[in-house]
Amino acid sequence: MAIQAHLVELERKHKVLETELHDALAHPSTDDACIADLKRRKLMVRDQIAKLKQTAPSLH
């Protein structure tokens, strides 16, 4: 199912961004703009996941 595959890919991207953000926060040399960008991208992916789940409730 294409929607399920898209959801899996979005969840994978979210996990990758979460790891990148965690790593960036662990290094004090990471600038605030980079951290803000990672947070923004992670939030956008999370919103896409929620919207996809809302349109196809059987995917929860």
Side-chain angles (χ1 to χ4, degrees):
M1 175 182 264
I3 294 174
Q4 181 66 32
H6 186 58
L7 181 60
V8 168
E9 180 61 20
L10 286 173
E11 289 174 340
R12 186 196 63 78
K13 283 182 183 180
H14 188 267
K15 184 67 176 169
V16 167
L17 287 168
E18 186 174 325
T19 301
E20 287 181 27
L21 180 59
H22 178 74
D23 292 346
L25 290 170
H27 292 82
S29 62
T30 306
D31 67 358
D32 291 341
C34 178
I35 291 172
D37 182 58
L38 286 168
K39 286 180 177 181
R40 180 186 55 79
R41 289 170 39 206
K42 184 179 169 198
L43 182 60
M44 285 175 51
V45 171
R46 188 191 75 190
D47 288 347
Q48 289 175 340
I49 291 169
K51 192 177 295 185
L52 188 61
K53 285 183 176 180
Q54 187 177 28
T55 59
S58 63
L59 296 177
H60 289 162

Tab-separated table of all heavy atoms in Angstrom:
chain	number	residue	atom	x	y	z
A	1	MET	N	0.845	-1.180	0.000
A	1	MET	CA	0.000	0.000	0.000
A	1	MET	C	0.888	1.240	0.000
A	1	MET	O	1.779	1.371	0.830
A	1	MET	CB	-0.926	-0.031	1.220
A	1	MET	CG	-1.766	1.209	1.381
A	1	MET	SD	-2.777	1.143	2.858
A	1	MET	CE	-4.297	0.558	2.177
A	2	ALA	N	0.635	2.166	-0.890
A	2	ALA	CA	1.478	3.348	-1.055
A	2	ALA	C	1.442	4.258	0.178
A	2	ALA	O	2.463	4.814	0.559
A	2	ALA	CB	1.052	4.115	-2.288
A	3	ILE	N	0.274	4.400	0.779
A	3	ILE	CA	0.163	5.271	1.949
A	3	ILE	C	0.975	4.710	3.104
A	3	ILE	O	1.681	5.443	3.803
A	3	ILE	CB	-1.312	5.461	2.349
A	3	ILE	CG1	-2.049	6.229	1.247
A	3	ILE	CG2	-1.431	6.187	3.679
A	3	ILE	CD1	-3.536	6.353	1.481
A	4	GLN	N	0.926	3.408	3.297
A	4	GLN	CA	1.688	2.773	4.370
A	4	GLN	C	3.190	2.965	4.145
A	4	GLN	O	3.923	3.265	5.087
A	4	GLN	CB	1.344	1.279	4.457
A	4	GLN	CG	2.078	0.557	5.569
A	4	GLN	CD	1.684	1.016	6.968
A	4	GLN	OE1	0.545	1.400	7.197
A	4	GLN	NE2	2.615	0.973	7.888
A	5	ALA	N	3.633	2.815	2.909
A	5	ALA	CA	5.052	2.998	2.596
A	5	ALA	C	5.470	4.443	2.848
A	5	ALA	O	6.568	4.696	3.372
A	5	ALA	CB	5.326	2.607	1.147
A	6	HIS	N	4.612	5.378	2.504
A	6	HIS	CA	4.906	6.793	2.738
A	6	HIS	C	5.001	7.071	4.242
A	6	HIS	O	5.894	7.790	4.694
A	6	HIS	CB	3.828	7.653	2.084
A	6	HIS	CG	4.103	9.113	2.131
A	6	HIS	ND1	5.234	9.688	1.604
A	6	HIS	CD2	3.384	10.135	2.660
A	6	HIS	CE1	5.200	10.985	1.806
A	6	HIS	NE2	4.084	11.284	2.448
A	7	LEU	N	4.108	6.488	5.009
A	7	LEU	CA	4.126	6.661	6.450
A	7	LEU	C	5.414	6.099	7.053
A	7	LEU	O	6.047	6.734	7.898
A	7	LEU	CB	2.906	5.987	7.078
A	7	LEU	CG	2.759	6.101	8.589
A	7	LEU	CD1	2.654	7.558	9.015
A	7	LEU	CD2	1.545	5.327	9.051
A	8	VAL	N	5.817	4.930	6.605
A	8	VAL	CA	7.059	4.320	7.100
A	8	VAL	C	8.251	5.219	6.780
A	8	VAL	O	9.134	5.431	7.618
A	8	VAL	CB	7.246	2.904	6.497
A	8	VAL	CG1	8.639	2.371	6.762
A	8	VAL	CG2	6.195	1.960	7.056
A	9	GLU	N	8.269	5.775	5.576
A	9	GLU	CA	9.371	6.656	5.179
A	9	GLU	C	9.384	7.929	6.022
A	9	GLU	O	10.445	8.387	6.455
A	9	GLU	CB	9.266	7.003	3.694
A	9	GLU	CG	10.357	7.906	3.188
A	9	GLU	CD	11.765	7.340	3.308
A	9	GLU	OE1	11.917	6.108	3.427
A	9	GLU	OE2	12.727	8.138	3.283
A	10	LEU	N	8.221	8.502	6.277
A	10	LEU	CA	8.156	9.696	7.119
A	10	LEU	C	8.624	9.392	8.545
A	10	LEU	O	9.339	10.197	9.148
A	10	LEU	CB	6.732	10.254	7.144
A	10	LEU	CG	6.263	10.966	5.881
A	10	LEU	CD1	4.776	11.298	5.988
A	10	LEU	CD2	7.071	12.223	5.621
A	11	GLU	N	8.233	8.248	9.074
A	11	GLU	CA	8.674	7.876	10.423
A	11	GLU	C	10.184	7.651	10.463
A	11	GLU	O	10.841	7.997	11.448
A	11	GLU	CB	7.911	6.644	10.897
A	11	GLU	CG	6.457	6.958	11.202
A	11	GLU	CD	5.613	5.743	11.534
A	11	GLU	OE1	6.003	4.614	11.192
A	11	GLU	OE2	4.530	5.941	12.132
A	12	ARG	N	10.740	7.112	9.386
A	12	ARG	CA	12.188	6.931	9.308
A	12	ARG	C	12.882	8.296	9.279
A	12	ARG	O	13.856	8.517	9.998
A	12	ARG	CB	12.561	6.132	8.051
A	12	ARG	CG	14.054	5.790	7.979
A	12	ARG	CD	14.497	5.363	6.600
A	12	ARG	NE	14.343	6.423	5.611
A	12	ARG	CZ	15.173	7.458	5.474
A	12	ARG	NH1	16.208	7.593	6.269
A	12	ARG	NH2	14.960	8.356	4.538
A	13	LYS	N	12.370	9.220	8.490
A	13	LYS	CA	12.950	10.567	8.414
A	13	LYS	C	12.881	11.250	9.775
A	13	LYS	O	13.820	11.936	10.177
A	13	LYS	CB	12.208	11.415	7.387
A	13	LYS	CG	12.555	11.108	5.964
A	13	LYS	CD	11.797	12.051	5.021
A	13	LYS	CE	12.074	11.719	3.582
A	13	LYS	NZ	11.341	12.624	2.669
A	14	HIS	N	11.761	11.070	10.481
A	14	HIS	CA	11.595	11.684	11.793
A	14	HIS	C	12.655	11.156	12.766
A	14	HIS	O	13.250	11.922	13.527
A	14	HIS	CB	10.178	11.410	12.319
A	14	HIS	CG	9.853	12.147	13.569
A	14	HIS	ND1	10.045	11.608	14.810
A	14	HIS	CD2	9.346	13.391	13.755
A	14	HIS	CE1	9.676	12.480	15.725
A	14	HIS	NE2	9.244	13.577	15.111
A	15	LYS	N	12.893	9.859	12.721
A	15	LYS	CA	13.898	9.250	13.604
A	15	LYS	C	15.291	9.762	13.271
A	15	LYS	O	16.090	10.047	14.170
A	15	LYS	CB	13.821	7.717	13.473
A	15	LYS	CG	14.744	6.989	14.401
A	15	LYS	CD	14.343	7.168	15.838
A	15	LYS	CE	15.232	6.345	16.738
A	15	LYS	NZ	15.051	6.688	18.141
A	16	VAL	N	15.599	9.898	11.976
A	16	VAL	CA	16.909	10.413	11.557
A	16	VAL	C	17.088	11.844	12.056
A	16	VAL	O	18.146	12.198	12.597
A	16	VAL	CB	17.069	10.336	10.018
A	16	VAL	CG1	18.260	11.139	9.547
A	16	VAL	CG2	17.194	8.886	9.580
A	17	LEU	N	16.065	12.661	11.895
A	17	LEU	CA	16.141	14.046	12.367
A	17	LEU	C	16.274	14.105	13.886
A	17	LEU	O	17.002	14.944	14.419
A	17	LEU	CB	14.914	14.832	11.910
A	17	LEU	CG	14.879	15.184	10.431
A	17	LEU	CD1	13.497	15.689	10.037
A	17	LEU	CD2	15.944	16.208	10.083
A	18	GLU	N	15.597	13.224	14.572
A	18	GLU	CA	15.702	13.171	16.032
A	18	GLU	C	17.140	12.850	16.457
A	18	GLU	O	17.688	13.472	17.371
A	18	GLU	CB	14.740	12.113	16.573
A	18	GLU	CG	14.647	12.054	18.073
A	18	GLU	CD	13.578	11.078	18.530
A	18	GLU	OE1	12.539	10.953	17.865
A	18	GLU	OE2	13.809	10.453	19.568
A	19	THR	N	17.758	11.912	15.760
A	19	THR	CA	19.145	11.543	16.052
A	19	THR	C	20.087	12.707	15.740
A	19	THR	O	20.991	13.015	16.530
A	19	THR	CB	19.550	10.297	15.240
A	19	THR	OG1	18.664	9.229	15.590
A	19	THR	CG2	20.977	9.888	15.524
A	20	GLU	N	19.888	13.355	14.595
A	20	GLU	CA	20.714	14.505	14.228
A	20	GLU	C	20.581	15.622	15.251
A	20	GLU	O	21.573	16.252	15.624
A	20	GLU	CB	20.332	15.021	12.840
A	20	GLU	CG	20.771	14.134	11.703
A	20	GLU	CD	20.382	14.703	10.343
A	20	GLU	OE1	20.256	15.940	10.210
A	20	GLU	OE2	20.198	13.906	9.420
A	21	LEU	N	19.365	15.876	15.698
A	21	LEU	CA	19.132	16.920	16.689
A	21	LEU	C	19.814	16.576	18.005
A	21	LEU	O	20.467	17.419	18.617
A	21	LEU	CB	17.632	17.125	16.898
A	21	LEU	CG	17.227	18.180	17.908
A	21	LEU	CD1	17.775	19.543	17.524
A	21	LEU	CD2	15.714	18.224	18.043
A	22	HIS	N	19.688	15.332	18.429
A	22	HIS	CA	20.334	14.891	19.662
A	22	HIS	C	21.850	15.080	19.563
A	22	HIS	O	22.486	15.587	20.494
A	22	HIS	CB	19.989	13.431	19.942
A	22	HIS	CG	20.648	12.880	21.157
A	22	HIS	ND1	20.254	13.215	22.437
A	22	HIS	CD2	21.691	12.036	21.295
A	22	HIS	CE1	21.036	12.592	23.309
A	22	HIS	NE2	21.902	11.872	22.633
A	23	ASP	N	22.424	14.688	18.439
A	23	ASP	CA	23.874	14.839	18.233
A	23	ASP	C	24.275	16.312	18.222
A	23	ASP	O	25.303	16.687	18.788
A	23	ASP	CB	24.313	14.166	16.933
A	23	ASP	CG	24.201	12.651	16.989
A	23	ASP	OD1	24.043	12.095	18.103
A	23	ASP	OD2	24.255	12.023	15.914
A	24	ALA	N	23.463	17.148	17.564
A	24	ALA	CA	23.772	18.580	17.497
A	24	ALA	C	23.725	19.214	18.882
A	24	ALA	O	24.571	20.053	19.219
A	24	ALA	CB	22.802	19.280	16.552
A	25	LEU	N	22.754	18.809	19.677
A	25	LEU	CA	22.643	19.362	21.032
A	25	LEU	C	23.788	18.891	21.934
A	25	LEU	O	24.131	19.579	22.894
A	25	LEU	CB	21.292	18.988	21.643
A	25	LEU	CG	20.081	19.683	21.030
A	25	LEU	CD1	18.792	19.057	21.547
A	25	LEU	CD2	20.102	21.170	21.310
A	26	ALA	N	24.367	17.763	21.613
A	26	ALA	CA	25.469	17.233	22.419
A	26	ALA	C	26.787	17.969	22.147
A	26	ALA	O	27.711	17.868	22.948
A	26	ALA	CB	25.644	15.746	22.151
A	27	HIS	N	26.848	18.679	21.027
A	27	HIS	CA	28.063	19.410	20.671
A	27	HIS	C	27.829	20.903	20.864
A	27	HIS	O	27.054	21.509	20.120
A	27	HIS	CB	28.445	19.137	19.215
A	27	HIS	CG	28.875	17.736	18.979
A	27	HIS	ND1	27.976	16.706	18.788
A	27	HIS	CD2	30.106	17.183	18.913
A	27	HIS	CE1	28.638	15.580	18.618
A	27	HIS	NE2	29.935	15.838	18.698
A	28	PRO	N	28.506	21.488	21.844
A	28	PRO	CA	28.282	22.911	22.126
A	28	PRO	C	28.660	23.826	20.955
A	28	PRO	O	28.226	24.968	20.899
A	28	PRO	CB	29.163	23.202	23.337
A	28	PRO	CG	29.855	21.951	23.684
A	28	PRO	CD	29.437	20.872	22.748
A	29	SER	N	29.445	23.335	20.026
A	29	SER	CA	29.861	24.178	18.905
A	29	SER	C	28.786	24.327	17.832
A	29	SER	O	28.916	25.142	16.926
A	29	SER	CB	31.135	23.613	18.275
A	29	SER	OG	30.883	22.316	17.749
A	30	THR	N	27.711	23.551	17.922
A	30	THR	CA	26.626	23.642	16.943
A	30	THR	C	25.890	24.960	17.134
A	30	THR	O	25.499	25.298	18.248
A	30	THR	CB	25.644	22.470	17.110
A	30	THR	OG1	26.357	21.244	17.055
A	30	THR	CG2	24.599	22.491	16.015
A	31	ASP	N	25.717	25.704	16.040
A	31	ASP	CA	25.060	27.002	16.167
A	31	ASP	C	23.543	26.868	16.317
A	31	ASP	O	22.948	25.862	15.951
A	31	ASP	CB	25.420	27.929	15.008
A	31	ASP	CG	24.879	27.466	13.669
A	31	ASP	OD1	24.255	26.398	13.607
A	31	ASP	OD2	25.098	28.187	12.684
A	32	ASP	N	22.963	27.903	16.874
A	32	ASP	CA	21.534	27.891	17.172
A	32	ASP	C	20.675	27.778	15.908
A	32	ASP	O	19.602	27.178	15.943
A	32	ASP	CB	21.141	29.139	17.956
A	32	ASP	CG	21.712	29.138	19.364
A	32	ASP	OD1	22.089	28.050	19.859
A	32	ASP	OD2	21.788	30.219	19.979
A	33	ALA	N	21.135	28.350	14.808
A	33	ALA	CA	20.371	28.299	13.562
A	33	ALA	C	20.254	26.856	13.063
A	33	ALA	O	19.201	26.439	12.568
A	33	ALA	CB	21.015	29.180	12.502
A	34	CYS	N	21.314	26.092	13.202
A	34	CYS	CA	21.301	24.688	12.786
A	34	CYS	C	20.323	23.897	13.653
A	34	CYS	O	19.541	23.099	13.129
A	34	CYS	CB	22.706	24.103	12.894
A	34	CYS	SG	22.808	22.362	12.456
A	35	ILE	N	20.358	24.123	14.938
A	35	ILE	CA	19.454	23.428	15.859
A	35	ILE	C	18.005	23.815	15.563
A	35	ILE	O	17.127	22.952	15.508
A	35	ILE	CB	19.838	23.723	17.326
A	35	ILE	CG1	21.180	23.047	17.634
A	35	ILE	CG2	18.749	23.260	18.286
A	35	ILE	CD1	21.774	23.398	18.969
A	36	ALA	N	17.753	25.084	15.330
A	36	ALA	CA	16.406	25.539	15.016
A	36	ALA	C	15.911	24.913	13.716
A	36	ALA	O	14.743	24.521	13.610
A	36	ALA	CB	16.366	27.063	14.918
A	37	ASP	N	16.791	24.797	12.728
A	37	ASP	CA	16.412	24.184	11.449
A	37	ASP	C	16.060	22.714	11.641
A	37	ASP	O	15.068	22.236	11.087
A	37	ASP	CB	17.548	24.334	10.433
A	37	ASP	CG	17.179	23.759	9.087
A	37	ASP	OD1	16.166	24.204	8.499
A	37	ASP	OD2	17.899	22.854	8.614
A	38	LEU	N	16.857	21.995	12.411
A	38	LEU	CA	16.567	20.586	12.669
A	38	LEU	C	15.227	20.430	13.389
A	38	LEU	O	14.428	19.556	13.040
A	38	LEU	CB	17.688	19.949	13.498
A	38	LEU	CG	18.984	19.668	12.757
A	38	LEU	CD1	20.089	19.308	13.756
A	38	LEU	CD2	18.798	18.549	11.745
A	39	LYS	N	14.972	21.276	14.370
A	39	LYS	CA	13.701	21.219	15.102
A	39	LYS	C	12.530	21.515	14.170
A	39	LYS	O	11.493	20.846	14.230
A	39	LYS	CB	13.702	22.214	16.263
A	39	LYS	CG	14.558	21.792	17.424
A	39	LYS	CD	14.503	22.815	18.538
A	39	LYS	CE	15.308	22.378	19.738
A	39	LYS	NZ	15.238	23.361	20.832
A	40	ARG	N	12.690	22.511	13.291
A	40	ARG	CA	11.634	22.881	12.361
A	40	ARG	C	11.345	21.732	11.396
A	40	ARG	O	10.186	21.374	11.167
A	40	ARG	CB	12.048	24.133	11.577
A	40	ARG	CG	11.007	24.611	10.570
A	40	ARG	CD	11.528	25.762	9.732
A	40	ARG	NE	12.776	25.445	9.058
A	40	ARG	CZ	12.876	24.721	7.942
A	40	ARG	NH1	11.803	24.228	7.379
A	40	ARG	NH2	14.053	24.488	7.394
A	41	ARG	N	12.405	21.122	10.858
A	41	ARG	CA	12.226	20.014	9.922
A	41	ARG	C	11.572	18.813	10.602
A	41	ARG	O	10.701	18.156	10.037
A	41	ARG	CB	13.570	19.634	9.307
A	41	ARG	CG	14.077	20.686	8.338
A	41	ARG	CD	15.487	20.502	7.864
A	41	ARG	NE	15.854	19.125	7.605
A	41	ARG	CZ	17.104	18.671	7.676
A	41	ARG	NH1	18.099	19.481	7.978
A	41	ARG	NH2	17.370	17.414	7.419
A	42	LYS	N	11.988	18.533	11.840
A	42	LYS	CA	11.413	17.419	12.583
A	42	LYS	C	9.930	17.659	12.848
A	42	LYS	O	9.102	16.755	12.706
A	42	LYS	CB	12.178	17.238	13.901
A	42	LYS	CG	11.730	16.058	14.719
A	42	LYS	CD	12.552	15.949	15.989
A	42	LYS	CE	11.931	14.948	16.928
A	42	LYS	NZ	12.394	15.078	18.291
A	43	LEU	N	9.575	18.885	13.196
A	43	LEU	CA	8.189	19.235	13.442
A	43	LEU	C	7.353	19.110	12.169
A	43	LEU	O	6.218	18.611	12.197
A	43	LEU	CB	8.090	20.653	13.999
A	43	LEU	CG	6.701	21.167	14.347
A	43	LEU	CD1	6.041	20.287	15.398
A	43	LEU	CD2	6.783	22.590	14.835
A	44	MET	N	7.909	19.522	11.041
A	44	MET	CA	7.189	19.414	9.771
A	44	MET	C	6.906	17.951	9.428
A	44	MET	O	5.803	17.608	8.988
A	44	MET	CB	8.001	20.068	8.650
A	44	MET	CG	7.973	21.577	8.690
A	44	MET	SD	9.036	22.379	7.461
A	44	MET	CE	8.561	21.568	5.960
A	45	VAL	N	7.880	17.086	9.656
A	45	VAL	CA	7.692	15.662	9.375
A	45	VAL	C	6.655	15.086	10.329
A	45	VAL	O	5.778	14.318	9.921
A	45	VAL	CB	9.029	14.888	9.454
A	45	VAL	CG1	8.802	13.392	9.374
A	45	VAL	CG2	9.971	15.342	8.339
A	46	ARG	N	6.718	15.476	11.588
A	46	ARG	CA	5.734	14.998	12.557
A	46	ARG	C	4.323	15.412	12.158
A	46	ARG	O	3.374	14.625	12.245
A	46	ARG	CB	6.051	15.528	13.957
A	46	ARG	CG	5.157	14.884	15.023
A	46	ARG	CD	5.243	15.558	16.338
A	46	ARG	NE	4.500	16.810	16.221
A	46	ARG	CZ	4.513	17.766	17.128
A	46	ARG	NH1	5.241	17.645	18.206
A	46	ARG	NH2	3.821	18.865	16.956
A	47	ASP	N	4.189	16.646	11.680
A	47	ASP	CA	2.884	17.123	11.229
A	47	ASP	C	2.402	16.344	10.003
A	47	ASP	O	1.210	16.034	9.889
A	47	ASP	CB	2.936	18.617	10.915
A	47	ASP	CG	3.050	19.475	12.163
A	47	ASP	OD1	2.842	18.956	13.286
A	47	ASP	OD2	3.375	20.673	12.017
A	48	GLN	N	3.305	16.014	9.100
A	48	GLN	CA	2.942	15.223	7.930
A	48	GLN	C	2.464	13.833	8.350
A	48	GLN	O	1.502	13.306	7.781
A	48	GLN	CB	4.122	15.093	6.972
A	48	GLN	CG	4.469	16.370	6.244
A	48	GLN	CD	5.708	16.207	5.398
A	48	GLN	OE1	6.526	15.311	5.599
A	48	GLN	NE2	5.864	17.100	4.424
A	49	ILE	N	3.141	13.248	9.329
A	49	ILE	CA	2.740	11.928	9.840
A	49	ILE	C	1.344	12.011	10.436
A	49	ILE	O	0.480	11.175	10.150
A	49	ILE	CB	3.761	11.407	10.882
A	49	ILE	CG1	5.085	11.061	10.207
A	49	ILE	CG2	3.205	10.199	11.634
A	49	ILE	CD1	6.228	10.790	11.180
A	50	ALA	N	1.100	13.027	11.248
A	50	ALA	CA	-0.211	13.176	11.889
A	50	ALA	C	-1.302	13.380	10.843
A	50	ALA	O	-2.388	12.796	10.947
A	50	ALA	CB	-0.175	14.355	12.865
A	51	LYS	N	-1.032	14.196	9.840
A	51	LYS	CA	-2.024	14.454	8.796
A	51	LYS	C	-2.321	13.181	8.011
A	51	LYS	O	-3.468	12.882	7.702
A	51	LYS	CB	-1.504	15.543	7.856
A	51	LYS	CG	-2.557	16.100	6.921
A	51	LYS	CD	-2.004	17.224	6.071
A	51	LYS	CE	-1.633	18.395	6.952
A	51	LYS	NZ	-1.210	19.566	6.181
A	52	LEU	N	-1.282	12.412	7.716
A	52	LEU	CA	-1.468	11.166	6.973
A	52	LEU	C	-2.284	10.167	7.791
A	52	LEU	O	-3.180	9.514	7.272
A	52	LEU	CB	-0.112	10.575	6.592
A	52	LEU	CG	-0.117	9.382	5.658
A	52	LEU	CD1	-0.757	9.757	4.326
A	52	LEU	CD2	1.300	8.894	5.417
A	53	LYS	N	-1.994	10.071	9.074
A	53	LYS	CA	-2.745	9.170	9.943
A	53	LYS	C	-4.190	9.617	10.096
A	53	LYS	O	-5.092	8.781	10.219
A	53	LYS	CB	-2.081	9.064	11.311
A	53	LYS	CG	-0.825	8.225	11.302
A	53	LYS	CD	-0.252	8.097	12.688
A	53	LYS	CE	0.952	7.171	12.700
A	53	LYS	NZ	1.513	7.039	14.051
A	54	GLN	N	-4.400	10.922	10.056
A	54	GLN	CA	-5.761	11.446	10.187
A	54	GLN	C	-6.589	11.118	8.941
A	54	GLN	O	-7.770	10.816	9.048
A	54	GLN	CB	-5.717	12.940	10.401
A	54	GLN	CG	-7.048	13.567	10.710
A	54	GLN	CD	-6.914	15.047	10.983
A	54	GLN	OE1	-6.010	15.702	10.489
A	54	GLN	NE2	-7.815	15.579	11.787
A	55	THR	N	-5.961	11.152	7.775
A	55	THR	CA	-6.697	10.876	6.543
A	55	THR	C	-6.896	9.395	6.324
A	55	THR	O	-7.778	8.985	5.583
A	55	THR	CB	-5.985	11.473	5.311
A	55	THR	OG1	-4.682	10.923	5.208
A	55	THR	CG2	-5.923	12.982	5.399
A	56	ALA	N	-6.054	8.561	6.957
A	56	ALA	CA	-6.169	7.117	6.820
A	56	ALA	C	-6.090	6.497	8.209
A	56	ALA	O	-5.065	5.947	8.603
A	56	ALA	CB	-5.057	6.594	5.929
A	57	PRO	N	-7.146	6.581	9.012
A	57	PRO	CA	-7.138	6.129	10.402
A	57	PRO	C	-6.751	4.662	10.592
A	57	PRO	O	-6.308	4.272	11.651
A	57	PRO	CB	-8.560	6.361	10.892
A	57	PRO	CG	-9.233	7.178	9.865
A	57	PRO	CD	-8.445	7.101	8.618
A	58	SER	N	-6.921	3.841	9.575
A	58	SER	CA	-6.588	2.431	9.728
A	58	SER	C	-5.084	2.190	9.813
A	58	SER	O	-4.647	1.068	10.059
A	58	SER	CB	-7.158	1.632	8.558
A	58	SER	OG	-6.571	2.050	7.339
A	59	LEU	N	-4.259	3.237	9.637
A	59	LEU	CA	-2.800	3.086	9.656
A	59	LEU	C	-2.195	3.275	11.038
A	59	LEU	O	-1.003	3.134	11.198
A	59	LEU	CB	-2.160	4.105	8.695
A	59	LEU	CG	-2.507	3.924	7.234
A	59	LEU	CD1	-1.877	5.042	6.410
A	59	LEU	CD2	-2.033	2.589	6.719
A	60	HIS	N	-2.979	3.566	12.026
A	60	HIS	CA	-2.420	3.811	13.379
A	60	HIS	C	-1.680	2.648	13.897
A	60	HIS	O	-1.771	1.584	13.901
A	60	HIS	CB	-3.503	4.211	14.352
A	60	HIS	CG	-4.007	5.577	14.065
A	60	HIS	ND1	-5.191	6.015	14.541
A	60	HIS	CD2	-3.532	6.594	13.330
A	60	HIS	CE1	-5.425	7.249	14.134
A	60	HIS	NE2	-4.415	7.625	13.392
